[in-house]
Amino acid sequence: MGSRWSAARRRQAWQTSHALLLLPVLLVVAITVAAIGSPPDVHLGPTLVIAPALTPSLAGARATALVSALAVAAQVVIGVFHGGLMSANHVVQIVTLMLLSVMVTVYAALRDRRRLQLAQVRSVAEAAQHVLMWPLPEQIGPLRIASLYLAAEDEAQIGGDLYAVTHAGGQVRVLIGDVRGKGLAAIGEAALLLSAFRESAHRDISLPELAAVLEQSVTRYAADMDSPEEAGERFATALLIEIPDLDPVTRMTSCGHPPPLLLSPGHAVTVPSLHPSPPLGVHGTPASEHTLDVFSFEPGDTLLLYTDGVIEARDARHRFYPLTERVAQWTDASPESLIHHVRRDLMTHAGGRLGDDAALIALHRTASVHRQHHGILGHGGVRAGDVPEIPGS
């Protein structure tokens, strides 16, 4: 289905481009007919340059060259009917049109070459993005997932923001992070963090211990890659979240990363209590100093994770994007619709261009949760002693 759709789109684009190419051809014919029928003192031949100048916006260098040749031939025909080819006026017009046509054709060829280079860059960027950040599944464990990545640099699709999700041991673990810097310069450290998370997230360790593993990876990378002048300049924020399949008690550890937003039906948006430690790579924080925060993530709720490129996007009056305020109107939306709404609203706010990479993940809990009712608190936390009830026990 997808290949047939792509082929149909390419065929439609080809037909559209060839239909538009008739415009400069008809323009040459119309100017030629009008010039032949005009009085001798009216010179319409110079207007033929419009056709070659218009063609590059409709087609490539080859079509531009053909239209240019047609325009020069038309200028010769006009010269035959208006005083002969050897008159000084027509010689100057023909030579001038030829020179301008050559310039326009060269421009079209350079533009085609540039377009091909950009297409190759996009292709490489797409391949690198899929290798670096595997596409998130639409469903994992009890969660429906939608994600968005917006790179700040032109023609880039990856940068310093990162995210990953894994499911093991009856729980989902999520990483979202932001490496200092943006674009290609930050890709190396982003790849390192993703690799360390994928390698360690399946181990039977707590989130603070997992944060310490990521801390060690960043520290080693900085020691190997940084020059003395760059010492202490390489760091990353990260948010680790652990969501059990059968228990609403969700755990998180933040390393200098913004807290998530918890969206509940009925336009309710809360911010779970968060006690972040410093960003990874700043102080070499051990596991004992990373805080484990807990909150209740109930069926029907949506958890929205984001990087600071979202909340630091500015409008024309330099106002930050009010994410919490804006998402309150979409709390009942599906993860896909929520991400779509935020993207459109964010780009409108920022005038179509972001100053930093931005990433978003929407996690919607769909599965029923079986638990004993020992007094689950609201979205700010849980009481100790809440134990999940396993079916059949």
Side-chain angles (χ1 to χ4, degrees):
M1 176 67 75
S3 60
R4 291 199 299 269
W5 173 250
S6 298
R9 291 186 63 183
R10 287 194 296 269
R11 184 166 58 254
Q12 182 181 5
W14 183 87
Q15 293 172 348
T16 301
S17 64
H18 280 68
L20 291 175
L21 191 56
L22 290 175
L23 179 60
V25 174
L26 293 176
L27 189 59
V28 170
V29 173
I31 292 175
T32 302
V33 172
I36 292 175
S38 64
D41 58 336
V42 177
H43 303 286
L44 296 178
T47 60
L48 285 169
V49 73
I50 298 174
L54 178 65
T55 306
S57 63
L58 306 175
R62 182 177 299 180
T64 302
L66 292 175
V67 172
S68 298
L70 180 63
V72 172
Q75 183 67 67
V76 172
V77 171
I78 294 173
V80 170
F81 281 89
H82 273 224
L85 288 176
M86 301 313 296
S87 66
N89 182 46
H90 288 299
V91 169
V92 170
Q93 289 183 23
I94 292 172
V95 172
T96 301
L97 181 58
M98 290 177 63
L99 292 175
L100 291 174
S101 296
V102 169
M103 293 174 62
V104 171
T105 303
V106 170
Y107 161 76
L110 293 175
R111 191 203 61 177
D112 287 350
R113 182 179 178 183
R114 173 64 174 167
R115 182 179 294 171
L116 178 60
Q117 291 174 339
L118 291 179
Q120 292 174 339
V121 168
R122 291 191 187 101
S123 178
V124 172
E126 289 175 0
Q129 185 180 37
H130 284 290
V131 171
L132 177 61
M133 287 204 310
W134 307 334
L136 300 184
E138 295 182 0
Q139 180 87 31
I140 185 169
L143 305 175
R144 286 179 55 194
I145 302 177
S147 61
L148 172 67
Y149 196 106
L150 297 171
E153 289 195 354
D154 294 335
E155 309 306 333
Q157 298 192 24
I158 52 179
D161 288 5
L162 56 108
Y163 49 69
V165 175
T166 185
H167 184 267
Q171 60 190 10
V172 177
R173 281 183 166 178
V174 185
L175 163 69
I176 186 168
D178 183 3
V179 173
R180 179 181 179 273
K182 62 182 179 180
L184 299 178
I187 290 179
E189 191 170 349
L192 176 81
L193 280 174
L194 287 170
S195 298
F197 174 78
R198 289 167 182 153
E199 179 68 24
S200 303
H202 293 275
R203 295 166 53 191
D204 186 19
I205 58 177
S206 66
L207 290 188
E209 291 172 328
L210 180 56
V213 171
L214 301 183
E215 179 81 50
Q216 292 171 2
S217 297
V218 172
T219 302
R220 285 195 299 266
Y221 182 80
D224 293 339
M225 301 298 296
D226 286 353
S227 64
E229 295 77 13
E230 296 175 325
E233 294 297 321
R234 194 181 299 275
F235 62 87
T237 67
L239 179 66
L240 296 165
I241 295 185
E242 186 176 86
I243 305 170
D245 291 350
L246 299 176
D247 194 333
V249 178
T250 298
R251 293 169 283 275
M252 63 180 173
T253 292
S254 172
C255 303
H257 200 84
L261 299 181
L262 191 61
L263 284 60
S264 302
H267 307 289
V269 179
T270 56
V271 182
S273 178
L274 189 64
H275 302 85
S277 57
L280 302 173
V282 174
H283 296 304
T285 308
S288 59
E289 296 184 17
H290 289 290
T291 302
L292 184 65
D293 294 297
V294 295
F295 62 99
S296 183
F297 183 19
E298 302 283 350
D301 289 347
T302 298
L303 195 61
L304 184 63
L305 317 181
Y306 56 92
T307 59
D308 60 8
V310 176
I311 56 177
E312 292 180 0
R314 296 174 182 263
D315 62 8
R317 298 171 62 182
H318 302 287
R319 294 175 299 184
F320 291 118
Y321 179 66
L323 178 64
T324 304
E325 174 186 329
R326 297 295 177 85
V327 298
Q329 57 189 313
W330 305 309
T331 56
D332 296 316
S334 66
E336 297 80 8
S337 297
L338 174 62
I339 291 295
H340 171 75
H341 288 312
V342 173
R343 174 177 184 163
R344 183 178 59 184
D345 193 52
L346 174 65
M347 297 307 293
T348 300
H349 177 88
R353 185 181 180 87
L354 297 177
D356 194 6
D357 302 325
L360 288 156
I361 306 176
L363 308 168
H364 179 76
R365 183 151 204 162
T366 58
S368 297
V369 177
H370 304 279
R371 67 189 187 278
Q372 295 177 352
H373 297 281
H374 292 307
I376 297 289
L377 292 177
H379 298 311
V382 297
R383 290 195 182 98
D386 293 326
V387 179
E389 179 182 337
I390 307 301
S393 61

mmCIF file of all heavy atoms in Angstrom, residues 185-229:
data_model
loop_
_atom_site.group_PDB
_atom_site.id
_atom_site.type_symbol
_atom_site.label_atom_id
_atom_site.label_comp_id
_atom_site.label_asym_id
_atom_site.label_seq_id
_atom_site.Cartn_x
_atom_site.Cartn_y
_atom_site.Cartn_z
ATOM 1 N N ALA A 185 27.175 18.497 16.659
ATOM 2 C CA ALA A 185 28.219 18.515 17.687
ATOM 3 C C ALA A 185 27.818 17.719 18.922
ATOM 4 O O ALA A 185 28.676 17.266 19.677
ATOM 5 C CB ALA A 185 28.532 19.957 18.076
ATOM 6 N N ALA A 186 26.529 17.541 19.149
ATOM 7 C CA ALA A 186 26.059 16.855 20.355
ATOM 8 C C ALA A 186 25.687 15.400 20.110
ATOM 9 O O ALA A 186 25.317 14.691 21.049
ATOM 10 C CB ALA A 186 24.842 17.604 20.927
ATOM 11 N N ILE A 187 25.788 14.929 18.864
ATOM 12 C CA ILE A 187 25.323 13.589 18.547
ATOM 13 C C ILE A 187 26.155 12.526 19.248
ATOM 14 O O ILE A 187 25.622 11.504 19.710
ATOM 15 C CB ILE A 187 25.332 13.374 17.022
ATOM 16 C CG1 ILE A 187 24.240 14.226 16.386
ATOM 17 C CG2 ILE A 187 25.130 11.909 16.677
ATOM 18 C CD1 ILE A 187 24.176 14.116 14.891
ATOM 19 N N GLY A 188 27.481 12.718 19.340
ATOM 20 C CA GLY A 188 28.349 11.719 19.951
ATOM 21 C C GLY A 188 27.950 11.404 21.373
ATOM 22 O O GLY A 188 27.831 10.224 21.759
ATOM 23 N N GLU A 189 27.720 12.438 22.174
ATOM 24 C CA GLU A 189 27.345 12.207 23.570
ATOM 25 C C GLU A 189 25.935 11.647 23.677
ATOM 26 O O GLU A 189 25.655 10.820 24.553
ATOM 27 C CB GLU A 189 27.453 13.508 24.355
ATOM 28 C CG GLU A 189 27.348 13.321 25.859
ATOM 29 C CD GLU A 189 27.707 14.587 26.625
ATOM 30 O OE1 GLU A 189 28.232 15.531 26.004
ATOM 31 O OE2 GLU A 189 27.460 14.610 27.837
ATOM 32 N N ALA A 190 25.036 12.070 22.784
ATOM 33 C CA ALA A 190 23.687 11.512 22.794
ATOM 34 C C ALA A 190 23.731 10.013 22.495
ATOM 35 O O ALA A 190 23.038 9.219 23.147
ATOM 36 C CB ALA A 190 22.815 12.232 21.766
ATOM 37 N N ALA A 191 24.562 9.619 21.535
ATOM 38 C CA ALA A 191 24.697 8.198 21.204
ATOM 39 C C ALA A 191 25.250 7.422 22.392
ATOM 40 O O ALA A 191 24.826 6.286 22.675
ATOM 41 C CB ALA A 191 25.594 8.031 19.989
ATOM 42 N N LEU A 192 26.186 8.022 23.112
ATOM 43 C CA LEU A 192 26.775 7.362 24.283
ATOM 44 C C LEU A 192 25.717 7.116 25.354
ATOM 45 O O LEU A 192 25.620 6.014 25.909
ATOM 46 C CB LEU A 192 27.895 8.229 24.844
ATOM 47 C CG LEU A 192 28.542 7.732 26.133
ATOM 48 C CD1 LEU A 192 29.565 6.658 25.799
ATOM 49 C CD2 LEU A 192 29.197 8.868 26.884
ATOM 50 N N LEU A 193 24.899 8.115 25.649
ATOM 51 C CA LEU A 193 23.877 7.972 26.681
ATOM 52 C C LEU A 193 22.833 6.926 26.284
ATOM 53 O O LEU A 193 22.399 6.114 27.108
ATOM 54 C CB LEU A 193 23.200 9.317 26.931
ATOM 55 C CG LEU A 193 23.955 10.298 27.826
ATOM 56 C CD1 LEU A 193 23.236 11.633 27.867
ATOM 57 C CD2 LEU A 193 24.099 9.740 29.229
ATOM 58 N N LEU A 194 22.427 6.940 25.024
ATOM 59 C CA LEU A 194 21.446 5.962 24.576
ATOM 60 C C LEU A 194 21.997 4.540 24.679
ATOM 61 O O LEU A 194 21.294 3.618 25.106
ATOM 62 C CB LEU A 194 21.030 6.273 23.139
ATOM 63 C CG LEU A 194 20.126 7.495 22.952
ATOM 64 C CD1 LEU A 194 19.991 7.843 21.480
ATOM 65 C CD2 LEU A 194 18.754 7.243 23.560
ATOM 66 N N SER A 195 23.247 4.364 24.295
ATOM 67 C CA SER A 195 23.860 3.038 24.377
ATOM 68 C C SER A 195 23.954 2.567 25.825
ATOM 69 O O SER A 195 23.661 1.405 26.140
ATOM 70 C CB SER A 195 25.248 3.059 23.737
ATOM 71 O OG SER A 195 25.169 3.386 22.366
ATOM 72 N N ALA A 196 24.368 3.473 26.728
ATOM 73 C CA ALA A 196 24.482 3.112 28.142
ATOM 74 C C ALA A 196 23.116 2.757 28.728
ATOM 75 O O ALA A 196 22.987 1.816 29.520
ATOM 76 C CB ALA A 196 25.119 4.258 28.918
ATOM 77 N N PHE A 197 22.081 3.499 28.350
ATOM 78 C CA PHE A 197 20.734 3.211 28.857
ATOM 79 C C PHE A 197 20.246 1.865 28.346
ATOM 80 O O PHE A 197 19.715 1.044 29.114
ATOM 81 C CB PHE A 197 19.771 4.318 28.435
ATOM 82 C CG PHE A 197 18.341 4.048 28.782
ATOM 83 C CD1 PHE A 197 17.869 4.225 30.069
ATOM 84 C CD2 PHE A 197 17.453 3.586 27.804
ATOM 85 C CE1 PHE A 197 16.548 3.965 30.394
ATOM 86 C CE2 PHE A 197 16.131 3.320 28.119
ATOM 87 C CZ PHE A 197 15.679 3.509 29.413
ATOM 88 N N ARG A 198 20.389 1.613 27.044
ATOM 89 C CA ARG A 198 19.903 0.356 26.479
ATOM 90 C C ARG A 198 20.638 -0.839 27.067
ATOM 91 O O ARG A 198 20.068 -1.919 27.217
ATOM 92 C CB ARG A 198 20.060 0.393 24.962
ATOM 93 C CG ARG A 198 19.093 1.351 24.279
ATOM 94 C CD ARG A 198 19.464 1.593 22.847
ATOM 95 N NE ARG A 198 18.548 2.552 22.215
ATOM 96 C CZ ARG A 198 18.869 3.343 21.203
ATOM 97 N NH1 ARG A 198 20.093 3.285 20.691
ATOM 98 N NH2 ARG A 198 17.988 4.176 20.701
ATOM 99 N N GLU A 199 21.902 -0.648 27.407
ATOM 100 C CA GLU A 199 22.685 -1.734 27.966
ATOM 101 C C GLU A 199 22.307 -2.012 29.419
ATOM 102 O O GLU A 199 22.327 -3.170 29.867
ATOM 103 C CB GLU A 199 24.176 -1.397 27.884
ATOM 104 C CG GLU A 199 25.113 -2.447 28.457
ATOM 105 C CD GLU A 199 25.123 -3.726 27.640
ATOM 106 O OE1 GLU A 199 24.789 -3.662 26.442
ATOM 107 O OE2 GLU A 199 25.467 -4.783 28.195
ATOM 108 N N SER A 200 21.961 -0.973 30.162
ATOM 109 C CA SER A 200 21.781 -1.118 31.616
ATOM 110 C C SER A 200 20.330 -1.129 32.071
ATOM 111 O O SER A 200 20.045 -1.548 33.200
ATOM 112 C CB SER A 200 22.515 0.027 32.337
ATOM 113 O OG SER A 200 23.886 0.039 31.993
ATOM 114 N N ALA A 201 19.397 -0.653 31.242
ATOM 115 C CA ALA A 201 18.005 -0.530 31.682
ATOM 116 C C ALA A 201 17.372 -1.881 31.989
ATOM 117 O O ALA A 201 16.417 -1.961 32.774
ATOM 118 C CB ALA A 201 17.178 0.200 30.624
ATOM 119 N N HIS A 202 17.880 -2.954 31.399
ATOM 120 C CA HIS A 202 17.319 -4.292 31.652
ATOM 121 C C HIS A 202 17.884 -4.928 32.915
ATOM 122 O O HIS A 202 17.395 -5.972 33.353
ATOM 123 C CB HIS A 202 17.594 -5.206 30.456
ATOM 124 C CG HIS A 202 16.855 -4.806 29.220
ATOM 125 N ND1 HIS A 202 15.563 -5.208 28.958
ATOM 126 C CD2 HIS A 202 17.213 -4.021 28.170
ATOM 127 C CE1 HIS A 202 15.160 -4.713 27.814
ATOM 128 N NE2 HIS A 202 16.145 -3.986 27.309
ATOM 129 N N ARG A 203 18.903 -4.333 33.485
ATOM 130 C CA ARG A 203 19.496 -4.898 34.696
ATOM 131 C C ARG A 203 18.587 -4.636 35.901
ATOM 132 O O ARG A 203 17.790 -3.692 35.915
ATOM 133 C CB ARG A 203 20.876 -4.291 34.941
ATOM 134 C CG ARG A 203 21.899 -4.643 33.871
ATOM 135 C CD ARG A 203 23.130 -3.774 33.955
ATOM 136 N NE ARG A 203 23.705 -3.778 35.312
ATOM 137 C CZ ARG A 203 24.661 -2.930 35.704
ATOM 138 N NH1 ARG A 203 25.143 -2.029 34.860
ATOM 139 N NH2 ARG A 203 25.122 -3.009 36.935
ATOM 140 N N ASP A 204 18.734 -5.471 36.908
ATOM 141 C CA ASP A 204 17.920 -5.343 38.120
ATOM 142 C C ASP A 204 18.568 -4.319 39.055
ATOM 143 O O ASP A 204 19.114 -4.661 40.110
ATOM 144 C CB ASP A 204 17.793 -6.700 38.807
ATOM 145 C CG ASP A 204 16.844 -6.648 39.999
ATOM 146 O OD1 ASP A 204 16.040 -5.691 40.061
ATOM 147 O OD2 ASP A 204 16.916 -7.548 40.859
ATOM 148 N N ILE A 205 18.517 -3.068 38.642
ATOM 149 C CA ILE A 205 19.063 -1.975 39.436
ATOM 150 C C ILE A 205 18.011 -0.876 39.551
ATOM 151 O O ILE A 205 17.098 -0.779 38.731
ATOM 152 C CB ILE A 205 20.361 -1.401 38.834
ATOM 153 C CG1 ILE A 205 20.116 -0.901 37.395
ATOM 154 C CG2 ILE A 205 21.474 -2.432 38.856
ATOM 155 C CD1 ILE A 205 21.338 -0.250 36.754
ATOM 156 N N SER A 206 18.134 -0.062 40.577
ATOM 157 C CA SER A 206 17.183 1.027 40.786
ATOM 158 C C SER A 206 17.475 2.177 39.827
ATOM 159 O O SER A 206 18.529 2.229 39.189
ATOM 160 C CB SER A 206 17.269 1.526 42.230
ATOM 161 O OG SER A 206 18.540 2.125 42.468
ATOM 162 N N LEU A 207 16.531 3.112 39.736
ATOM 163 C CA LEU A 207 16.743 4.282 38.885
ATOM 164 C C LEU A 207 17.944 5.123 39.336
ATOM 165 O O LEU A 207 18.719 5.587 38.489
ATOM 166 C CB LEU A 207 15.478 5.137 38.834
ATOM 167 C CG LEU A 207 14.291 4.545 38.077
ATOM 168 C CD1 LEU A 207 13.180 5.589 37.959
ATOM 169 C CD2 LEU A 207 14.680 4.039 36.707
ATOM 170 N N PRO A 208 18.138 5.366 40.654
ATOM 171 C CA PRO A 208 19.360 6.095 41.049
ATOM 172 C C PRO A 208 20.630 5.368 40.621
ATOM 173 O O PRO A 208 21.608 6.015 40.225
ATOM 174 C CB PRO A 208 19.237 6.167 42.579
ATOM 175 C CG PRO A 208 17.767 6.167 42.837
ATOM 176 C CD PRO A 208 17.216 5.217 41.804
ATOM 177 N N GLU A 209 20.627 4.040 40.688
ATOM 178 C CA GLU A 209 21.804 3.289 40.243
ATOM 179 C C GLU A 209 21.972 3.385 38.729
ATOM 180 O O GLU A 209 23.095 3.491 38.220
ATOM 181 C CB GLU A 209 21.671 1.821 40.670
ATOM 182 C CG GLU A 209 21.786 1.619 42.172
ATOM 183 C CD GLU A 209 21.452 0.207 42.592
ATOM 184 O OE1 GLU A 209 20.592 -0.427 41.939
ATOM 185 O OE2 GLU A 209 22.044 -0.279 43.569
ATOM 186 N N LEU A 210 20.855 3.388 38.010
ATOM 187 C CA LEU A 210 20.922 3.557 36.564
ATOM 188 C C LEU A 210 21.435 4.948 36.205
ATOM 189 O O LEU A 210 22.236 5.110 35.272
ATOM 190 C CB LEU A 210 19.535 3.325 35.958
ATOM 191 C CG LEU A 210 19.409 3.463 34.431
ATOM 192 C CD1 LEU A 210 20.387 2.551 33.709
ATOM 193 C CD2 LEU A 210 17.968 3.184 33.996
ATOM 194 N N ALA A 211 21.002 5.959 36.958
ATOM 195 C CA ALA A 211 21.509 7.318 36.741
ATOM 196 C C ALA A 211 23.015 7.382 36.976
ATOM 197 O O ALA A 211 23.748 8.077 36.266
ATOM 198 C CB ALA A 211 20.778 8.303 37.645
ATOM 199 N N ALA A 212 23.500 6.645 37.988
ATOM 200 C CA ALA A 212 24.938 6.624 38.262
ATOM 201 C C ALA A 212 25.712 5.971 37.125
ATOM 202 O O ALA A 212 26.833 6.382 36.804
ATOM 203 C CB ALA A 212 25.205 5.887 39.576
ATOM 204 N N VAL A 213 25.129 4.956 36.486
ATOM 205 C CA VAL A 213 25.761 4.327 35.324
ATOM 206 C C VAL A 213 25.890 5.337 34.172
ATOM 207 O O VAL A 213 26.936 5.440 33.525
ATOM 208 C CB VAL A 213 24.954 3.097 34.871
ATOM 209 C CG1 VAL A 213 25.473 2.574 33.538
ATOM 210 C CG2 VAL A 213 25.017 2.001 35.924
ATOM 211 N N LEU A 214 24.824 6.088 33.922
ATOM 212 C CA LEU A 214 24.876 7.114 32.881
ATOM 213 C C LEU A 214 25.895 8.197 33.238
ATOM 214 O O LEU A 214 26.602 8.716 32.356
ATOM 215 C CB LEU A 214 23.491 7.735 32.688
ATOM 216 C CG LEU A 214 22.353 6.787 32.300
ATOM 217 C CD1 LEU A 214 21.069 7.566 32.082
ATOM 218 C CD2 LEU A 214 22.708 5.982 31.067
ATOM 219 N N GLU A 215 25.962 8.537 34.520
ATOM 220 C CA GLU A 215 26.940 9.524 35.001
ATOM 221 C C GLU A 215 28.362 9.063 34.687
ATOM 222 O O GLU A 215 29.195 9.840 34.193
ATOM 223 C CB GLU A 215 26.769 9.719 36.497
ATOM 224 C CG GLU A 215 27.741 10.702 37.128
ATOM 225 C CD GLU A 215 27.309 12.140 36.947
ATOM 226 O OE1 GLU A 215 26.141 12.454 37.234
ATOM 227 O OE2 GLU A 215 28.163 12.945 36.516
ATOM 228 N N GLN A 216 28.658 7.800 34.948
ATOM 229 C CA GLN A 216 29.985 7.277 34.677
ATOM 230 C C GLN A 216 30.305 7.308 33.186
ATOM 231 O O GLN A 216 31.437 7.612 32.790
ATOM 232 C CB GLN A 216 30.083 5.845 35.210
ATOM 233 C CG GLN A 216 30.036 5.750 36.730
ATOM 234 C CD GLN A 216 29.924 4.307 37.209
ATOM 235 O OE1 GLN A 216 29.915 3.376 36.409
ATOM 236 N NE2 GLN A 216 29.837 4.130 38.533
ATOM 237 N N SER A 217 29.318 7.024 32.349
ATOM 238 C CA SER A 217 29.538 7.047 30.902
ATOM 239 C C SER A 217 29.880 8.449 30.422
ATOM 240 O O SER A 217 30.804 8.642 29.633
ATOM 241 C CB SER A 217 28.294 6.522 30.176
ATOM 242 O OG SER A 217 28.037 5.179 30.512
ATOM 243 N N VAL A 218 29.138 9.450 30.903
ATOM 244 C CA VAL A 218 29.407 10.828 30.503
ATOM 245 C C VAL A 218 30.769 11.279 31.004
ATOM 246 O O VAL A 218 31.526 11.945 30.289
ATOM 247 C CB VAL A 218 28.301 11.768 31.030
ATOM 248 C CG1 VAL A 218 28.663 13.226 30.785
ATOM 249 C CG2 VAL A 218 26.964 11.429 30.384
ATOM 250 N N THR A 219 31.114 10.902 32.230
ATOM 251 C CA THR A 219 32.404 11.295 32.800
ATOM 252 C C THR A 219 33.556 10.693 32.008
ATOM 253 O O THR A 219 34.549 11.376 31.707
ATOM 254 C CB THR A 219 32.485 10.853 34.268
ATOM 255 O OG1 THR A 219 31.398 11.443 35.001
ATOM 256 C CG2 THR A 219 33.807 11.299 34.882
ATOM 257 N N ARG A 220 33.444 9.401 31.656
ATOM 258 C CA ARG A 220 34.501 8.767 30.869
ATOM 259 C C ARG A 220 34.607 9.398 29.487
ATOM 260 O O ARG A 220 35.706 9.624 28.973
ATOM 261 C CB ARG A 220 34.225 7.276 30.745
ATOM 262 C CG ARG A 220 34.521 6.474 32.013
ATOM 263 C CD ARG A 220 34.581 4.990 31.709
ATOM 264 N NE ARG A 220 33.327 4.504 31.184
ATOM 265 C CZ ARG A 220 32.364 3.951 31.931
ATOM 266 N NH1 ARG A 220 32.539 3.828 33.238
ATOM 267 N NH2 ARG A 220 31.248 3.518 31.381
ATOM 268 N N TYR A 221 33.470 9.679 28.888
ATOM 269 C CA TYR A 221 33.472 10.287 27.553
ATOM 270 C C TYR A 221 34.134 11.665 27.581
ATOM 271 O O TYR A 221 34.932 12.006 26.708
ATOM 272 C CB TYR A 221 32.030 10.411 27.054
ATOM 273 C CG TYR A 221 31.895 10.975 25.656
ATOM 274 C CD1 TYR A 221 32.089 10.165 24.545
ATOM 275 C CD2 TYR A 221 31.553 12.314 25.459
ATOM 276 C CE1 TYR A 221 31.942 10.668 23.267
ATOM 277 C CE2 TYR A 221 31.412 12.826 24.183
ATOM 278 C CZ TYR A 221 31.603 12.004 23.086
ATOM 279 O OH TYR A 221 31.474 12.510 21.825
ATOM 280 N N ALA A 222 33.809 12.455 28.612
ATOM 281 C CA ALA A 222 34.405 13.778 28.738
ATOM 282 C C ALA A 222 35.910 13.689 28.940
ATOM 283 O O ALA A 222 36.681 14.473 28.383
ATOM 284 C CB ALA A 222 33.752 14.542 29.890
ATOM 285 N N ALA A 223 36.350 12.724 29.753
ATOM 286 C CA ALA A 223 37.793 12.568 29.997
ATOM 287 C C ALA A 223 38.535 12.191 28.731
ATOM 288 O O ALA A 223 39.681 12.617 28.515
ATOM 289 C CB ALA A 223 38.010 11.506 31.074
ATOM 290 N N ASP A 224 37.894 11.402 27.857
ATOM 291 C CA ASP A 224 38.551 10.970 26.629
ATOM 292 C C ASP A 224 38.509 12.020 25.530
ATOM 293 O O ASP A 224 39.431 12.106 24.711
ATOM 294 C CB ASP A 224 37.895 9.684 26.102
ATOM 295 C CG ASP A 224 38.139 8.497 27.015
ATOM 296 O OD1 ASP A 224 39.112 8.558 27.802
ATOM 297 O OD2 ASP A 224 37.355 7.529 26.961
ATOM 298 N N MET A 225 37.443 12.818 25.501
ATOM 299 C CA MET A 225 37.212 13.696 24.354
ATOM 300 C C MET A 225 37.532 15.157 24.607
ATOM 301 O O MET A 225 37.865 15.888 23.676
ATOM 302 C CB MET A 225 35.742 13.584 23.918
ATOM 303 C CG MET A 225 35.307 12.180 23.534
ATOM 304 S SD MET A 225 36.212 11.523 22.118
ATOM 305 C CE MET A 225 35.673 12.664 20.843
ATOM 306 N N ASP A 226 37.443 15.629 25.850
ATOM 307 C CA ASP A 226 37.593 17.057 26.116
ATOM 308 C C ASP A 226 39.055 17.470 26.167
ATOM 309 O O ASP A 226 39.908 16.741 26.695
ATOM 310 C CB ASP A 226 36.928 17.428 27.447
ATOM 311 C CG ASP A 226 35.417 17.425 27.331
ATOM 312 O OD1 ASP A 226 34.913 17.277 26.202
ATOM 313 O OD2 ASP A 226 34.743 17.561 28.371
ATOM 314 N N SER A 227 39.324 18.655 25.636
ATOM 315 C CA SER A 227 40.632 19.284 25.806
ATOM 316 C C SER A 227 40.650 19.992 27.153
ATOM 317 O O SER A 227 39.605 20.191 27.767
ATOM 318 C CB SER A 227 40.870 20.281 24.677
ATOM 319 O OG SER A 227 39.924 21.343 24.739
ATOM 320 N N PRO A 228 41.832 20.392 27.653
ATOM 321 C CA PRO A 228 41.881 21.104 28.940
ATOM 322 C C PRO A 228 41.000 22.350 28.967
ATOM 323 O O PRO A 228 40.432 22.702 30.002
ATOM 324 C CB PRO A 228 43.364 21.450 29.096
ATOM 325 C CG PRO A 228 44.075 20.397 28.302
ATOM 326 C CD PRO A 228 43.187 20.103 27.135
ATOM 327 N N GLU A 229 40.887 23.026 27.807
ATOM 328 C CA GLU A 229 40.070 24.239 27.768
ATOM 329 C C GLU A 229 38.578 23.934 27.889
ATOM 330 O O GLU A 229 37.791 24.788 28.297
ATOM 331 C CB GLU A 229 40.317 25.002 26.457
ATOM 332 C CG GLU A 229 41.728 25.559 26.305
ATOM 333 C CD GLU A 229 42.730 24.471 25.916
ATOM 334 O OE1 GLU A 229 42.286 23.363 25.523
ATOM 335 O OE2 GLU A 229 43.950 24.726 26.024
#
